Amino acid sequence: MLERLLIPDIRELIAERDFATLGEVLNQWLPADLAALLANLPDDEQMQMFVLLEPAPRAKAFAHFSLEVQRRLLDALPQPDAAELLNRLAPDDRTALFEELPKPLAARLLELLSPEERRVTEELLHYSRDSIGRLMTPDYVAIGKDWSIQQMLDHVRTHGRDSETLNVVYVVGEDGTLVDDLRIREVLLAPLDNHVADLVDGIVVALRASDQRREAVDVFRKYDRTALPVIDAHGILVGIVTIDDVIDVAEQLATRELQRFGGVEALDEPYVRTPLLGMVRKRASWLVFLFLGELLTATAMGYFEREIQKAVVLALFVPLIISSGGNSGSPAATLLIRALALGELKLSDWPWVLRREMASGLLLGLVLGSIGFLRISLWSLFTDLYGEHWLLIAWTVSLALVGVVLWGALSGAILPFALKRLGFDPATSSAPFVATLVDVTGLVIYFSVALVVLRGTLL
Amino acid sequence: MLERLLIPDIRELIAERDFATLGEVLNQWLPADLAALLANLPDDEQMQMFVLLEPAPRAKAFAHFSLEVQRRLLDALPQPDAAELLNRLAPDDRTALFEELPKPLAARLLELLSPEERRVTEELLHYSRDSIGRLMTPDYVAIGKDWSIQQMLDHVRTHGRDSETLNVVYVVGEDGTLVDDLRIREVLLAPLDNHVADLVDGIVVALRASDQRREAVDVFRKYDRTALPVIDAHGILVGIVTIDDVIDVAEQLATRELQRFGGVEALDEPYVRTPLLGMVRKRASWLVFLFLGELLTATAMGYFEREIQKAVVLALFVPLIISSGGNSGSPAATLLIRALALGELKLSDWPWVLRREMASGLLLGLVLGSIGFLRISLWSLFTDLYGEHWLLIAWTVSLALVGVVLWGALSGAILPFALKRLGFDPATSSAPFVATLVDVTGLVIYFSVALVVLRGTLL
């Protein structure tokens, strides 16, 4: 990485206390690079560098830091500098910061904002936490329908500086209702004496401020836009959402999905920055829940204790059987969680999925069953590990494998649908959850098969 | 969904064979909506609607279809229409389509392209499949450094129509080297008599055509851009990549990561469109591999058969113990796979991770161990399921749980690092893979603890 290579040079400048050169160099960097460089420095040097930045690059780099670094820098800045910084932040970045701060601190920092910025921030904080309103910025260029293209370009030139994007401008009616969004490409391609009205086609894709953030991800994915307007319940344009923020949301949602699936409550913070005890707590809750479920395996095994006593050989295959169920269920769950998340499947598709997984589960079960049969038969040619009834044991294990693998695929496939139907996140059907479910039932299948096949011989 | 609600109306128009009205309605829709509508229609009606579209909306909607639908529509179109459609497709969308087609068909379709479009397509297909070159389009606006802003805007108005984006224009030297990229906002905010040179700051973030696609995702995420220039090894500007394509790549990579983790080879196609046998084959390979691993549990259990014979009670807890190892390892693996994928952790961080997971694993193990101890003790107050030595059994199970949970967390955490170090995808340390690994070793831990604790009493 560029930043890491440059650190020795920067360090040298720090050591020489050549802050003039340092400031000159740093102020020319791209905000994202600045943030990456500073994130790699020890706290005190980080602060030394940060104060060398001019207000504009400082605010831009600040938006790239993690919350933890943001808090530390804000704390350490003199109050006037902190005030300037906060006033310069883009409204959506500021809302995200205030959201995560303890209430009293947020209230104190809110006081530092100019009346205008404070009003904006309070309005945005009014939307619920996971709503599109929280991703919004009110900094956009709004234009009238009866303007000429030339008028509009002049307006952009004088009023566009604070807009979060100039890739799209928004045509609004006199009451503030959204009429259309014009991509700047349409404007740039139009003759200068045309009017805005000539470009307006009335087809506009808009988000609703009160909708869930996930909705924004889906709409952006579908329409290939870089910014989308946000309207309230009355169709009034209240802000815009830009794609960079939506990408961050998409990434967070993907992380959550993977973590849920892996059997850990979503951390919502990077692994490296989650405190040890906080992480243990988040992992313990699921682990304990699953453990209580797994205790049922001890109950199930206890129920078959007499059979195990009579035929200890049955116990040898217990881990093999139950793990095969989990290994069959986990991929099924993955495939269906993802298909549901991407909208490839709807709730009502469950009968189709059930039939399909029945076919795959059966085929996969037959494959494993055959391998199991072969393995027991082969071993029995050379050892007497499985006793005189090895052929019956082989049949028991193979049939149980078919049943358990089929059952695993079915449970793994249907659980995401059931959870979604009940209003839970389908990704809660985590790999460990499916495995636990199939472990207990797998034991019952195995010993039931054994009772039938081995009746009169071993049992 | 809008599209689904509208289908009855559309059907009615089809039934009445009112193709004039239908064509009028459909040609005004947004391409993404058109594609969504058509995707929901039966094949024959889909084709009927598709031919009603004018060439421009037809090509735009076409780009939104899945490969399967694209092939069917191309096959059914008369050759001149197919040629027009292919010539109108954006070069990057066309490359993606040709990539997936059987070689002979691709060669035949290539013949339909105009010489210019054919040259472009052949050039793009020259880049390797997972490279940034494949995401590129050569349709961008290039400008000279000595132009005035006014000149440049005039150039955009006359030459910009085919450009994939006008949000960014590219300043190139006489030899085609990339000098700078100018976001259109900088241009729009500049006075008209300024020159391009006044805006050029020489700080430009560029991708390399031969780099991996994943690289593009990381760079876009870091710099919050909507388009990035792509250069070759000599710094020559060869194309641009737009964010919509990068979002698709990010989504594919996330799907692959989740699928690998869930223990299934990446499908690379939506679940609903993967043929049953193809899916079974992809799932079977991992499942068989894991099964062969799990066969070792039968070997391990066989090794302890004498102990089980003496103390059948030990067998009752086998599923509980081994599943706890897997349930502890799977979340650890998830967290670290994701942290590695997002670049929060580097390979060299493994000792820190190891220490951290040792602490969490120990804490989590103590929690489960205590619950296990309590459960066995409580049950023994009311039943004699666990015999006279229940206290020793309780100790055995609890100690084994601490060991297995700790071992699970360590294996789950280190495996992604080990795989990455060896050049594999860390997500290969799937939930089932970790579980299998921990199952076999968990058994050894359990029976070893039992041999120590129960020596002289039960064993």
Side-chain angles (χ1 to χ4, degrees):
Chain A
M1 309 293 256
L2 182 73
E3 311 83 48
R4 288 186 177 260
L5 287 176
L6 284 170
I7 287 190
D9 293 338
I10 300 283
R11 278 264 162 72
E12 203 169 300
L13 289 171
I14 298 178
E16 292 169 2
R17 310 200 68 73
D18 185 355
F19 293 121
T21 314
L22 259 177
E24 229 168 88
V25 171
L26 293 179
N27 277 303
Q28 283 176 19
W29 281 31
L30 288 172
D33 288 326
L34 265 180
L37 166 78
L38 266 63
N40 280 324
L41 292 176
D43 294 2
D44 55 332
E45 292 183 359
Q46 190 176 61
M47 190 61 205
Q48 278 180 315
M49 299 299 96
F50 192 63
V51 295
L52 290 177
L53 298 177
E54 285 156 17
R58 190 189 282 176
K60 282 191 187 148
F62 186 81
H64 286 270
F65 287 121
S66 69
L67 177 75
E68 194 196 69
V69 178
Q70 286 185 333
R71 276 191 68 169
R72 197 173 53 231
L73 292 174
L74 261 187
D75 270 350
L77 275 186
Q79 181 149 327
D81 287 5
E84 163 132 39
L85 179 66
L86 288 173
N87 277 306
R88 275 178 183 270
L89 276 188
D92 50 346
D93 294 331
R94 196 164 51 210
T95 321
L97 169 65
F98 276 59
E99 165 72 47
E100 298 293 337
L101 293 174
K103 282 252 157 56
L105 178 57
R108 221 171 60 232
L109 292 177
L110 207 55
E111 292 296 310
L112 294 179
L113 294 178
S114 69
E116 169 59 13
E117 296 295 334
R118 193 185 317 161
R119 191 188 55 73
V120 165
T121 304
E122 282 170 345
E123 261 178 40
L124 291 179
L125 283 171
H126 204 258
Y127 291 99
S128 72
R129 190 181 166 133
D130 280 333
S131 72
I132 288 175
R134 280 295 178 86
L135 300 174
M136 259 179 2
T137 172
D139 293 341
Y140 53 86
V141 172
I143 55 174
K145 199 168 171 174
D146 47 352
W147 299 12
S148 73
I149 300 291
Q150 183 67 60
Q151 261 181 306
M152 188 204 125
L153 286 175
D154 291 342
H155 178 79
V156 166
R157 194 166 300 117
T158 49
H159 291 80
R161 197 157 294 277
D162 287 336
S163 175
E164 174 105 355
T165 181
L166 290 181
N167 297 340
V168 195
V169 292
Y170 299 90
V171 185
V172 290
E174 303 217 329
D175 56 349
T177 48
L178 175 67
V179 176
D180 203 354
D181 58 347
L182 296 182
R183 270 173 290 180
I184 207 69
R185 79 172 289 132
E186 305 170 60
V187 177
L188 291 176
L189 294 173
L192 289 179
D193 52 359
N194 270 23
H195 278 73
V196 170
D198 302 329
L199 300 179
V200 167
D201 59 7
I203 300 181
V204 52
V205 178
L207 302 168
R208 281 169 187 285
S210 54
D211 278 356
Q212 289 285 303
R213 299 189 306 165
R214 177 176 277 287
E215 186 75 17
V217 176
D218 294 341
V219 175
F220 267 92
R221 188 182 285 147
K222 178 168 173 191
Y223 291 101
D224 292 350
R225 298 296 176 85
T226 60
L228 281 174
V230 184
I231 55 175
D232 65 9
H234 310 291
I236 306 285
L237 178 62
V238 288
I240 63 168
V241 172
T242 51
I243 193 158
D244 51 320
D245 301 314
V246 174
I247 289 181
D248 293 343
V249 171
E251 189 186 293
Q252 280 171 29
L253 293 175
T255 300
R256 251 192 231 183
E257 194 180 315
L258 185 69
Q259 290 181 346
R260 289 244 170 89
F261 181 73
V264 52
E265 211 183 304
L267 286 190
D268 284 332
E269 271 181 283
Y271 175 82
V272 281
R273 282 205 295 276
T274 311
L276 181 67
L277 283 181
M279 192 182 67
V280 169
R281 210 166 26 237
K282 291 214 166 184
R283 279 158 72 167
S285 48
W286 246 120
L287 195 59
V288 168
F289 172 76
L290 293 171
F291 186 73
L292 296 179
E294 283 288 346
L295 278 175
L296 292 176
T297 60
T299 312
M301 292 286 282
Y303 187 77
F304 296 110
E305 194 179 3
R306 230 160 27 96
E307 281 72 27
I308 300 172
Q309 194 102 49
K310 283 202 221 156
V312 170
V313 65
L314 282 180
L316 306 192
F317 297 102
V318 162
L320 181 71
I321 301 271
I322 63 175
S323 67
S324 297
N327 291 348
S328 151
S330 160
T334 323
L335 291 173
L336 289 153
I337 288 167
R338 195 64 189 161
L340 282 170
L342 294 181
E344 291 165 10
L345 283 170
K346 295 177 302 303
L347 264 184
S348 56
D349 290 326
W350 71 265
W352 180 80
V353 169
L354 201 65
R355 282 197 303 275
R356 196 176 155 93
E357 285 303 314
M358 205 173 286
S360 348
L362 202 61
L363 286 171
L364 292 170
L366 287 171
V367 171
L368 293 202
S370 314
I371 301 179
F373 194 94
L374 263 175
R375 146 82 201 241
I376 296 178
S377 313
L378 276 176
W379 256 239
S380 301
L381 290 182
F382 304 106
T383 72
D384 58 352
L385 190 60
Y386 307 130
E388 52 169 340
H389 294 295
W390 62 267
L391 193 60
L392 288 177
I393 300 282
W395 275 113
T396 305
V397 170
S398 303
L399 288 176
L401 277 172
V402 176
V404 168
V405 169
L406 171 61
W407 173 241
L410 289 180
S411 322
I414 284 309
L415 201 63
F417 283 87
L419 286 169
K420 185 161 186 179
R421 180 71 189 73
L422 296 171
F424 295 106
D425 180 355
T428 314
S429 43
S430 59
F433 189 30
V434 172
T436 301
L437 209 94
V438 178
D439 278 357
V440 183
T441 44
L443 285 173
V444 177
I445 293 177
Y446 177 42
F447 283 104
S448 306
V449 170
L451 279 174
V452 173
V453 176
L454 302 179
R455 168 145 304 166
T457 52
L458 280 168
L459 298 182
Chain B
M1 310 291 256
L2 182 72
E3 310 84 47
R4 287 187 177 260
L5 288 176
L6 285 170
I7 287 191
D9 294 338
I10 301 281
R11 280 264 161 73
E12 203 169 303
L13 288 172
I14 299 179
E16 294 168 3
R17 311 197 69 74
D18 185 357
F19 293 120
T21 314
L22 259 176
E24 228 170 88
V25 171
L26 293 179
N27 276 302
Q28 283 176 19
W29 281 32
L30 289 171
D33 288 326
L34 264 181
L37 166 78
L38 265 62
N40 280 323
L41 293 176
D43 293 3
D44 54 333
E45 293 183 0
Q46 192 176 59
M47 191 60 206
Q48 278 181 316
M49 300 299 96
F50 192 63
V51 294
L52 290 178
L53 298 177
E54 284 156 19
R58 191 190 281 176
K60 282 192 186 147
F62 186 82
H64 285 270
F65 286 121
S66 69
L67 177 75
E68 195 196 68
V69 178
Q70 286 185 335
R71 275 191 69 169
R72 197 173 53 231
L73 292 175
L74 261 188
D75 270 350
L77 274 186
Q79 182 149 324
D81 287 4
E84 162 132 41
L85 178 66
L86 288 173
N87 276 307
R88 276 178 182 269
L89 275 188
D92 49 347
D93 295 331
R94 196 164 51 209
T95 321
L97 169 65
F98 276 59
E99 164 72 47
E100 299 292 337
L101 294 175
K103 282 249 157 59
L105 179 58
R108 221 172 58 232
L109 292 177
L110 206 54
E111 292 298 311
L112 295 179
L113 294 178
S114 69
E116 168 60 12
E117 296 296 334
R118 193 185 318 162
R119 192 188 54 75
V120 165
T121 304
E122 282 171 346
E123 260 179 40
L124 291 179
L125 282 171
H126 204 257
Y127 292 97
S128 72
R129 191 183 165 129
D130 280 332
S131 72
I132 288 175
R134 281 295 177 86
L135 301 174
M136 258 179 3
T137 172
D139 292 341
Y140 52 87
V141 173
I143 55 174
K145 199 169 169 171
D146 47 352
W147 297 12
S148 73
I149 299 292
Q150 183 67 60
Q151 261 181 307
M152 187 203 125
L153 286 175
D154 290 342
H155 178 79
V156 166
R157 195 164 299 118
T158 49
H159 291 80
R161 198 157 294 277
D162 287 336
S163 175
E164 174 106 354
T165 180
L166 290 180
N167 297 340
V168 196
V169 293
Y170 300 89
V171 186
V172 290
E174 303 215 331
D175 56 350
T177 47
L178 175 67
V179 176
D180 202 355
D181 57 347
L182 295 182
R183 269 172 291 179
I184 206 69
R185 76 172 289 129
E186 304 168 62
V187 177
L188 291 176
L189 293 173
L192 290 178
D193 52 357
N194 269 21
H195 278 73
V196 171
D198 302 329
L199 299 180
V200 167
D201 59 7
I203 300 180
V204 53
V205 178
L207 302 168
R208 279 169 187 287
S210 54
D211 278 355
Q212 290 285 302
R213 298 189 307 163
R214 176 176 278 288
E215 186 75 18
V217 177
D218 294 341
V219 175
F220 267 92
R221 190 182 284 148
K222 179 169 173 190
Y223 291 102
D224 291 351
R225 297 297 176 86
T226 59
L228 281 174
V230 185
I231 54 176
D232 67 9
H234 309 292
I236 306 286
L237 179 61
V238 288
I240 62 168
V241 172
T242 50
I243 193 157
D244 51 320
D245 301 314
V246 174
I247 289 181
D248 293 343
V249 171
E251 188 185 293
Q252 280 171 28
L253 293 175
T255 300
R256 251 191 231 184
E257 195 180 314
L258 184 69
Q259 290 181 346
R260 288 244 170 89
F261 181 72
V264 53
E265 211 183 303
L267 287 190
D268 284 332
E269 272 181 281
Y271 175 83
V272 281
R273 283 205 294 276
T274 311
L276 180 68
L277 283 181
M279 190 181 69
V280 168
R281 209 163 31 235
K282 290 215 166 183
R283 279 158 74 166
S285 48
W286 246 120
L287 194 60
V288 168
F289 172 77
L290 293 172
F291 186 73
L292 296 178
E294 284 288 347
L295 279 174
L296 292 176
T297 59
T299 313
M301 291 287 282
Y303 188 78
F304 295 111
E305 192 179 5
R306 231 163 22 98
E307 281 74 26
I308 300 173
Q309 192 103 49
K310 282 202 221 156
V312 170
V313 65
L314 281 180
L316 307 191
F317 297 102
V318 162
L320 181 71
I321 302 269
I322 63 176
S323 67
S324 298
N327 291 349
S328 151
S330 160
T334 323
L335 291 173
L336 290 153
I337 289 168
R338 195 65 189 160
L340 283 170
L342 294 181
E344 292 165 11
L345 282 170
K346 294 176 304 302
L347 263 184
S348 56
D349 290 326
W350 71 265
W352 180 80
V353 169
L354 200 65
R355 282 197 302 276
R356 197 177 155 92
E357 286 301 315
M358 205 174 286
S360 347
L362 203 59
L363 286 171
L364 293 171
L366 287 171
V367 172
L368 293 201
S370 313
I371 301 179
F373 194 94
L374 263 174
R375 146 83 201 239
I376 296 178
S377 312
L378 276 176
W379 256 239
S380 301
L381 289 182
F382 303 106
T383 72
D384 59 351
L385 189 62
Y386 307 130
E388 54 169 337
H389 293 297
W390 62 267
L391 193 59
L392 289 177
I393 300 282
W395 275 114
T396 305
V397 170
S398 304
L399 287 175
L401 277 171
V402 176
V404 167
V405 169
L406 172 60
W407 173 243
L410 289 179
S411 321
I414 286 308
L415 201 62
F417 283 88
L419 286 168
K420 184 160 188 180
R421 180 72 188 75
L422 296 171
F424 296 104
D425 179 355
T428 316
S429 43
S430 59
F433 189 29
V434 173
T436 301
L437 209 95
V438 179
D439 277 358
V440 182
T441 44
L443 285 174
V444 176
I445 294 178
Y446 177 41
F447 284 104
S448 306
V449 171
L451 279 174
V452 173
V453 176
L454 302 179
R455 166 147 304 165
T457 52
L458 281 168
L459 298 181

